[in-house]
Amino acid sequence: MSIAVLLGSTRSGGNTEQLVDQVVEGINHSKFVLHEKNIQTIVDQRHVPEGFQPVQDEYDELIQRVLEHDILIFATPVYWYGVSSPLKTFIDRWSQSLRSTDYNFKELISQKKAYIVAVGGDDPHIKALPLIQQLKLTFDFVGLPLEGYIIGKGSKPGDILADSRALLNAKWLNEQLKEQRA
């Protein structure tokens, strides 16, 4: 089983990255730092005769690399009760992938397993739930099973390391992922 981490944080080494690093500690994985990628926002061309036109950015290469993995971990801070803009932009581009004639995106992504790691600073176990639901509905639309999620509490860099509940959940998920790889 190969694992891809889709890191939606815009702060290098921040709480979200620290927590997801706990999840994949000691496990071979690929980490895609979305804010470092040139991914243009979607231009909705679903209903124009020509359909979606090619976009000169890194999305097509990135989605191909992501689809090579069996487990996808979507890691994001909670921004205004939703996912970060780099992760949202990446997912928005799935509309283009769904209409690609080069591959069957829905078939390929439905063969993966998804996990969510989210970190927020203000009562995240309640206020991150819309984010979890947003991603769950998105995953349902493309047939991607959501296997579980971890919500952590942190605002200032390093706060997550004081969230014993999140760290315990990360350790548990780490063990689960190691068992799946065995």
Side-chain angles (χ1 to χ4, degrees), residues 89-154:
T89 299
F90 174 74
I91 291 172
D92 283 348
R93 290 290 293 280
W94 289 5
S95 293
Q96 191 171 347
S97 292
L98 283 165
R99 287 166 176 74
S100 175
T101 57
D102 296 332
Y103 56 97
N104 186 332
F105 177 75
K106 209 167 188 178
E107 179 183 326
L108 292 171
I109 203 152
S110 69
Q111 298 168 12
K112 316 300 177 197
K113 294 180 181 180
Y115 293 89
I116 301 167
V117 174
V119 177
D122 179 24
D123 198 13
H125 292 282
I126 299 298
K127 294 182 179 180
L129 293 178
L131 176 155
I132 301 299
Q133 186 175 31
Q134 174 190 21
L135 288 175
K136 168 78 168 103
L137 294 171
T138 299
F139 298 164
D140 286 350
F141 184 81
V142 296
L144 173 61
L146 175 59
E147 299 293 319
Y149 61 88
I150 296 173
I151 297 173
K153 182 175 173 96

Side-chain angles (χ1 to χ4, degrees), residues 54-120:
V55 178
Q56 300 304 311
D57 66 2
E58 296 178 67
Y59 173 78
D60 289 329
E61 177 187 340
L62 177 61
I63 195 66
Q64 291 298 323
R65 291 182 60 203
V66 167
L67 290 171
E68 293 171 358
H69 295 80
D70 304 303
I71 295 172
L72 309 178
I73 300 175
F74 295 80
T76 182
V78 181
Y79 285 168
W80 293 102
Y81 316 104
V83 300
S84 67
S85 59
L87 183 57
K88 180 72 168 87
T89 299
F90 174 74
I91 291 172
D92 283 348
R93 290 290 293 280
W94 289 5
S95 293
Q96 191 171 347
S97 292
L98 283 165
R99 287 166 176 74
S100 175
T101 57
D102 296 332
Y103 56 97
N104 186 332
F105 177 75
K106 209 167 188 178
E107 179 183 326
L108 292 171
I109 203 152
S110 69
Q111 298 168 12
K112 316 300 177 197
K113 294 180 181 180
Y115 293 89
I116 301 167
V117 174
V119 177

